[in-house]
Amino acid sequence: DAGVIQSPRHEVTEMGQEVTLRCKPISGHNSLFWYRQTMMRGLELLIYFNNNVPIDDSGMPEDRFSAKMPNASFSTLKIQPSEPRDSAVYFCASSPRGNEKLFFGSGTQLSVL
Amino acid sequence: AQSVSQHNHHVILSEAASLELGCNYSYGGTVNLFWYVQYPGQHLQLLLKYFSGDPLVKGIKGFEAEFIKSKFSFNLRKPSVQWSDTAEYFCAVNGGSYSSASKIIFGSGTRLSIRP
């Protein structure tokens, strides 16, 4: 298995632009998590899905952030409009069951200028 | 509210020194506990986990952790560190129910630097 696949690896954009981050979880995993990592706040849980349904999005910082999981093999995290303070590494992780070991993707390094 | 506290932000040790990284959690009910490691330039990977049973858990690369329920702690230890242990270490916790997904909350991380 290729593991959790995230794209793009790096994204540089200008303030105000829309950013879409993509994630393909490991086949057969039914839970998917989006995290954001920054020096100041460490690793923050943004949202997680179970069986494609959003369970808890209380970590999503603002309405500018949205996440979808249209099917078991794909999820997106969208920021519109983006701001410089959104600059961070965004990780996607999946799990065979939500409370077990997480398998992380390589992350997307987002820079908003 | 659920939370995980890691006491040390940056730890610097010499090779062969012993390591202990602190982790305390606040979570109502049964918990699962994890330590993840992030080597420079890599993504997070599981080091060890505790679900139930023996509170002393052995992980990969000689790491171990002890769950002390009365202290709400899950400290990570290694008797003799190597330069290759240089990484960032994250403690994590979630609810112990197997019925559905639950939040997996991470601590802020501890950066470990090993001097050769």
Side-chain angles (χ1 to χ4, degrees):
Chain A
D1 197 318
V4 176
I5 300 172
Q6 289 187 246
S7 64
R9 289 293 304 273
H10 302 275
E11 175 81 33
V12 181
T13 190
E14 291 185 341
M15 183 173 63
Q17 296 298 306
E18 177 180 297
V19 174
T20 299
L21 311 181
R22 298 173 177 81
C23 175
K24 182 182 187 313
I26 293 173
S27 177
H29 284 193
N30 66 359
S31 296
L32 184 140
F33 301 76
W34 282 100
Y35 288 89
R36 177 172 69 176
Q37 185 179 30
T38 61
M39 289 286 288
M40 294 297 293
R41 292 186 297 271
L43 203 60
E44 304 171 275
L45 176 64
L46 300 177
I47 184 171
Y48 72 96
F49 297 83
N50 191 38
N51 294 323
N52 313 338
V53 176
I55 304 298
D56 189 333
D57 65 355
S58 60
M60 298 284 261
E62 322 174 9
D63 291 345
R64 299 184 296 106
F65 285 69
S66 63
K68 294 181 180 179
M69 192 165 186
N71 56 61
S73 60
F74 184 65
S75 177
T76 59
L77 177 68
K78 186 176 291 186
I79 308 172
Q80 166 63 19
S82 58
E83 297 182 4
R85 61 194 167 120
D86 301 331
S87 299
V89 181
Y90 291 81
F91 286 103
C92 176
S94 70
S95 175
R97 285 183 297 192
N99 58 352
E100 291 189 4
K101 172 183 175 181
L102 290 177
F103 294 77
F104 281 83
S106 299
T108 295
Q109 174 82 57
L110 173 65
S111 299
V112 183
L113 307 177
Chain B
Q2 306 145 2
S3 67
V4 180
S5 297
Q6 291 184 242
H7 315 300
N8 311 104
H9 293 294
H10 189 192
V11 173
I12 303 172
L13 295 173
S14 298
E15 276 195 311
S18 65
L19 169 72
E20 181 160 3
L21 301 182
C23 172
N24 286 91
Y25 66 92
S26 171
Y27 202 105
T30 307
V31 294
N32 298 323
L33 295 156
F34 309 82
W35 276 97
Y36 283 82
V37 60
Q38 186 177 26
Y39 296 104
Q42 297 186 26
H43 56 84
L44 280 83
Q45 51 190 291
L46 184 70
L47 203 53
L48 51 79
K49 63 184 180 183
Y50 170 82
F51 281 5
S52 64
D54 189 344
L56 185 61
V57 180
K58 304 283 187 185
I60 60 172
K61 304 187 180 186
F63 285 91
E64 65 179 32
E66 185 175 12
F67 171 49
I68 303 180
K69 189 175 181 180
S70 61
K71 294 184 178 180
F72 298 92
S73 70
F74 190 57
N75 292 355
L76 181 70
R77 299 194 292 249
K78 185 171 183 178
S80 176
V81 294
Q82 301 171 304
W83 179 79
S84 58
D85 294 324
T86 295
E88 187 143 17
Y89 293 81
F90 293 89
C91 183
V93 64
N94 76 344
S97 168
Y98 278 84
S99 60
S100 63
S102 59
K103 273 184 174 180
I104 301 177
I105 305 295
F106 283 79
S108 55
T110 297
R111 186 155 64 100
L112 176 64
S113 300
I114 305 298
R115 292 189 291 248

